Amino acid sequence: MSSIAPAVCFVDVCPLDNLPLGMGRAFVIGGRSVALFHRRGGNLFAMDNACPHKGGPLAEGMLAEGRVVCPMHARRYDGITGECDQPGECPVRVHPVAITNGMVRVGIPGDGLASEGAG
Amino acid sequence: MTFMANGTLPKRPRLIILGNGMAGARLAEDILVLDREKFEIVMFGEEPHGNYNRILLSNVLNGSQDMGEIEINSLPWYKENGITLHAGKKVTRIDPACKKVFADGVVESYDQLVIATGSIPFVPPLPGTDLEGVFVFRTVDDCKNIAQYAKGCKKAVVIGGGLLGLEAAKGLMTHNLEVTVVEYNKWLMSVQLDETGGEILGKTVAGLGIRVRTQASTQALVGNGKVQSVHYKDGTEDEADMVVISAGIRPNISLAKSCGLGCNRAILVDDKLATSDPSIFAVGECVEHRGMVYGLVAPLWEQTKALAAHLTGTDPDRIYAGSKLATKLKVMGVELAAMGMISDVRQGDEVVQYSEPAKGIYAKAIIRDGKVSAACLVGDLGPAETLLGHFHKDTPVPTRRMDLFGGPLPQKLELSLADLPDAHPVCDCNGISKGAICNAIQAGHCTVASVGKATRAGTGCGSCKKMVKGLIEAVAGAIKVDPTESYYVSAVPMEKAILVAQIRKHKLKSVSAVLAQFGTSEDEKSKNGLASLLKSMWNKEYVDERDARFVNDRVHANIQKDGTFSVVPRMYGGVTTPQELIRIGEAAIKYNIPMVKVTGGQRIDLLGVAKEDLPGVWADIGMPSGHAYTKAFRTCKTCVGIEFCRYGTNDSTGLGIDIEKKFQGIEFPAKLKMAVSGCPRNCAESTVKDIGIIATEGGDWEISVGGGAGAHVKKTEVLCRVQSKGEALKIVGRFMQYYREHGKYLERTYDFVPRIGIETLQEIIVNDSLGIAEHLDQGIEEAVKGFVDPWLEREQPVYPGQFSEPIQVGPMYLAGTTA
């Protein structure tokens, strides 16, 4: 089983309505602290909820052109790649997001035990 | 001007100035400024030119400037100013008894005489100094001769490793010669630098391809008609096709001596710069005053100023009390600053040093009786202003000595320029402040040369020209170039006035609507700025999108480094009650709040509150938000006023409370702090607030604006005085609304007020010169009416997750790897 388990496991997080427009929200998904964002225009993305710089809560950051601005020291992370705008800074880990029947689902690293029906 | 009966001018006293150099010509200028008509001025100059800036001679030698560029006063200038100049005439004798000066074919009589004969180069008594190819370096003719002779040469030796010697060496380098600098002392520039500093300089100089020989004692210059080599006492020698002797200067006092004036090392003068003959004065490098002989331009010019005031009678009691020696230089690309006598270390002195050898940076200060008695800096002049300040003013040095060497980094020059106060000295040679230069720029002087003409800044050593240029760019540049600087926010290419008009025209009431219509990019600061503007424009009609707010403004608390928040409840005027304190204490215990602190704004700060606890803490405390997290009216500090204070003259607490109750929570371009003091003792520190009010002895309230005490400290400027609390509230509100409408985003009042000008503000706010007072009053009243305590959102969060802790989903073990 473990040899064919997907590297990423999708977990139901919340209905889309629970994500405020243009903002982020913090979740703990399977023990992992994740920031989930809902861009104006509808796109979603997710990343670890800790700035690699000083651990700032990225879920509280403002969005600007698809990037999250850390509320602590204004480092910016790309919502798709997780790359930081400052040269030489670590990227933040990003996670895939899907919407199924109005339910937002986030794929996080794991063994899939709790992932019946994951896509 | 009075005329004699026969139509001629009355006979004016004749003033003769011997010497047309940095001191003599300057004295003439200083006299003309004070009184053009006082004297008939006659001058003698040995050189057949007008007056030039001797400090810049090395630039002529290295070809970066020509003679015309370093000229201060050309020959016509003397004529235009009624001065008779005998240029190129050597004075041979002074006859003090007959009050006459004798030169080649000229005799002039004087009523008063000023000797400003300067210095002559010191030529050490060595064999061979009369050989062809041996030069001194003092005049513009020396420069020309050296440059001419260098054309046929390959190797040059410069004798003397002081400032002038190094300048000569640099000049010779540009003529493609192999240059050796010979210094008798152990290190270069031994007058200005200590050994470590001199060694650092030596390394840099060597890196430029100049050979440096220290501790070298020259014995003879050798050649057959022309110089061919330099021999040293240790038996070694250097080949030399030419030699430049730069072994120091000696005061040029032969004329003074031969006419019997009292001389020591130089001509002895008193505090009025008078010599032993009451009709004869002396200034410049040729004088000895209180035991000091000066060789820097700044002291010379202090002397000429004092003497001019004294001679013209504009300030007959003016004395010259001596100068403190301080200078900033650039030698071979290395920046240096030196003040005091760095070699003068006495018992009990404290020597503080800092060194970064890899970067060629070195700083040293000698502290005597808690004051800077001498210092030198090499490679980085960042601490220069701090050190010079202590040195000149004799102020006690910081107990943390390291702070002496703190200071702006040189690469931040442009940035820090704008931050400098107007009184900050820019041109040390002439004592010209930033403010004086800015005034000249605003008056239309937009080149370095033009500013120099208007203020004299940059006309001394020239080291401040870069700063003058920076100021021109800062002051004049903002008017014409780079339109983005004038945009209200970077994401929308419009100035504030145009943006406001467009927003009104299109009835745009949300940040996203403005960005969709006019935005060319998107960034968080632009969103914050637009939110602030829209709120102030539309008040209750504003469509408040929470994603345009920074986290602090979403949860109405200030985020801390660990992701918790701080809670500051409002205490009107800084006045609280036992009941409030009990509730605060109980909440702090209930929510395990790790720190309870009194703030600088007379409030209580609860630090370390988790986001999800915010609504509970607010509810338990039962006080409104203190807005200690946002660009809004923060606090109004008060003193206890007449209620309890023995000195209080008016009800400062009452007014402070009224102000705070009225204007609480109103947003501004930047945070806004206030204070009301009940007497001129100003215990509430009203003079360093955005708006400060002080009760006067006569029963008035004095309202002043534009102060601050954060990264910058600035005193407020007085707007007006009023007689009642009601009037005070009105004026304060009117100023607030004008600032809301015209302040740039994040522009504090200490920048806003000087930008508009206090007189203009008085006209608009107090005298209603634009007829907008009613509009302003209405605007602020609407904002007041629109106030809702943001902490009431505790009852009903306005978006999902506003105050909730992270939601747990998925099995706990998922993130692990166990199968």
Side-chain angles (χ1 to χ4, degrees), chain B residues 197-259:
Chain B
E199 276 171 5
I200 288 175
L201 177 64
K203 273 185 201 151
T204 312
V205 169
L208 293 170
I210 291 172
R211 203 162 138 251
V212 179
R213 269 187 88 135
T214 52
Q215 288 180 288
S217 191
T218 314
Q219 190 168 41
L221 309 182
V222 179
N224 186 8
K226 287 181 183 178
V227 71
Q228 286 166 325
S229 60
V230 178
H231 290 209
Y232 304 101
K233 283 192 180 148
D234 63 3
T236 60
E237 59 182 87
D238 278 319
E239 283 180 46
D241 303 321
M242 67 187 294
V243 171
V244 175
I245 297 176
S246 178
I249 51 173
R250 294 291 180 269
N252 184 10
I253 58 172
S254 51
L255 276 174
K257 253 187 175 167
S258 59
C259 75

Side-chain angles (χ1 to χ4, degrees), chain B residues 58-377:
Chain B
S58 55
N59 289 349
V60 175
L61 182 57
N62 69 35
S64 64
Q65 285 187 305
D66 64 29
M67 177 57 194
E69 288 176 85
I70 69 164
E71 190 168 52
I72 299 173
N73 297 312
S74 60
L75 288 172
W77 178 87
Y78 295 85
K79 210 172 176 188
E80 285 157 19
N81 287 283
I83 297 172
T84 308
L85 171 67
H86 297 291
K89 295 251 161 75
K90 193 173 167 64
V91 175
T92 49
R93 190 162 68 90
I94 302 166
D95 184 341
C98 310
K99 292 194 168 184
K100 280 189 167 59
V101 170
F102 299 83
D104 315 323
V106 184
V107 181
E108 294 273 13
S109 56
Y110 64 82
D111 294 299
Q112 280 165 317
L113 174 69
V114 178
I115 302 176
T117 45
S119 300
I120 45 173
F122 171 63
V123 178
L126 298 171
T129 53
D130 54 351
L131 289 169
E132 196 185 321
V134 179
F135 299 90
V136 292
F137 181 41
R138 174 76 185 170
T139 67
V140 71
D141 288 338
D142 294 335
C143 259
K144 282 182 191 156
N145 295 337
I146 291 169
Q148 185 66 32
Y149 198 84
K151 281 180 185 155
C153 297
K154 288 202 175 103
K155 293 185 176 183
V157 169
V158 175
I159 297 176
L163 173 60
L164 213 57
L166 291 175
E167 294 281 13
K170 183 176 145 202
L172 289 167
M173 287 286 289
T174 60
H175 293 277
N176 292 321
L177 272 73
E178 275 178 47
V179 184
T180 301
V181 173
V182 178
E183 169 60 44
Y184 178 80
N185 275 299
K186 220 174 148 186
W187 62 89
L188 297 176
M189 291 193 64
S190 53
V191 178
Q192 291 88 356
L193 300 176
D194 71 344
E195 185 169 354
T196 314
E199 276 171 5
I200 288 175
L201 177 64
K203 273 185 201 151
T204 312
V205 169
L208 293 170
I210 291 172
R211 203 162 138 251
V212 179
R213 269 187 88 135
T214 52
Q215 288 180 288
S217 191
T218 314
Q219 190 168 41
L221 309 182
V222 179
N224 186 8
K226 287 181 183 178
V227 71
Q228 286 166 325
S229 60
V230 178
H231 290 209
Y232 304 101
K233 283 192 180 148
D234 63 3
T236 60
E237 59 182 87
D238 278 319
E239 283 180 46
D241 303 321
M242 67 187 294
V243 171
V244 175
I245 297 176
S246 178
I249 51 173
R250 294 291 180 269
N252 184 10
I253 58 172
S254 51
L255 276 174
K257 253 187 175 167
S258 59
C259 75
L261 294 180
C263 291
N264 188 16
R265 277 190 298 154
I267 305 167
L268 291 167
V269 292
D270 62 14
D271 286 353
K272 298 221 159 143
L273 296 153
T275 65
S276 53
D277 180 321
S279 302
I280 305 180
F281 298 82
V283 283
E285 287 178 337
C286 62
V287 310
E288 180 173 335
H289 172 263
R290 296 192 190 178
M292 290 291 293
V293 178
Y294 296 97
L296 292 174
V297 71
L300 266 55
W301 289 353
E302 286 172 38
Q303 291 173 1
T304 59
K305 224 171 188 171
L307 182 56
H310 175 60
L311 286 178
T312 55
T314 46
D315 184 0
D317 298 326
R318 174 78 169 265
I319 63 157
Y320 170 72
S323 299
K324 285 199 148 194
L325 279 176
T327 185
K328 286 189 277 185
L329 321 154
K330 196 166 185 179
V331 185
M332 306 231 176
V334 183
E335 295 203 279
L336 302 173
M339 57 205 87
M341 304 283 282
I342 200 76
S343 56
D344 176 21
V345 183
R346 303 180 194 170
Q347 202 166 10
D349 283 358
E350 196 182 328
V351 178
V352 192
Q353 279 159 296
Y354 175 80
S355 143
E356 255 180 85
K359 283 196 195 148
I361 291 172
Y362 175 67
K364 175 178 181 172
I366 298 170
I367 297 164
R368 184 172 301 155
D369 304 324
K371 290 162 188 167
V372 174
S373 79
C376 68
L377 296 171

Side-chain angles (χ1 to χ4, degrees), chain A residues 28 30 40 60 63 65 111, chain B residues 522 527 547 554 611 818:
Chain A
V28 177
R40 279 184 184 273
E60 304 289 2
L63 292 181
E65 293 183 334
D111 60 13
Chain B
E522 185 194 22
K527 286 175 160 185
D547 61 321
R554 277 185 266 126
K611 187 170 95 162
T818 17

Side-chain angles (χ1 to χ4, degrees), chain A residues 11 13 18 20-23 25-30 40 60 62-65 69 71-72 76 109-111 114, chain B residues 521-522 524 527-528 545-547 549-551 554 560-561 611 800-801 804 806-809 811-812 814-815 818:
Chain A
V11 176
V13 174
N18 285 12
L21 197 59
M23 279 187 261
R25 188 164 181 187
F27 293 88
V28 177
I29 307 175
R40 279 184 184 273
E60 304 289 2
M62 289 182 68
L63 292 181
E65 293 183 334
V69 185
M72 290 294 171
R76 291 147 201 273
D111 60 13
Chain B
S521 61
E522 185 194 22
E524 77 285 2
K527 286 175 160 185
N528 297 153
E545 293 165 343
R546 295 304 171 103
D547 61 321
R549 296 188 184 195
F550 182 59
V551 57
R554 277 185 266 126
Q560 306 295 307
K561 62 186 282 186
K611 187 170 95 162
S804 59
I807 298 167
Q808 304 260 353
V809 292
M812 277 305 290
L814 214 160
T818 17

Side-chain angles (χ1 to χ4, degrees), chain A residues 14-108:
Chain A
C14 68
L16 185 59
D17 295 351
N18 285 12
L19 297 179
L21 197 59
M23 279 187 261
R25 188 164 181 187
F27 293 88
V28 177
I29 307 175
R32 187 179 194 101
S33 191
V34 173
L36 182 53
F37 297 90
H38 187 189
R39 291 186 68 182
R40 279 184 184 273
N43 291 343
L44 300 176
F45 62 85
M47 57 179 58
D48 280 354
N49 188 21
C51 178
H53 174 230
K54 298 247 173 170
L58 293 173
E60 304 289 2
M62 289 182 68
L63 292 181
E65 293 183 334
R67 290 187 294 189
V68 181
V69 185
C70 178
M72 290 294 171
H73 306 99
R75 276 167 176 69
R76 291 147 201 273
Y77 297 93
D78 188 281
I80 308 294
T81 66
E83 274 169 21
C84 180
D85 68 324
Q86 307 278 309
E89 291 279 343
C90 289
V92 67
R93 182 154 190 172
V94 292
H95 306 289
V97 183
I99 307 178
T100 312
N101 300 326
M103 176 58 74
V104 178
R105 315 175 77 219
V106 175
I108 61 161

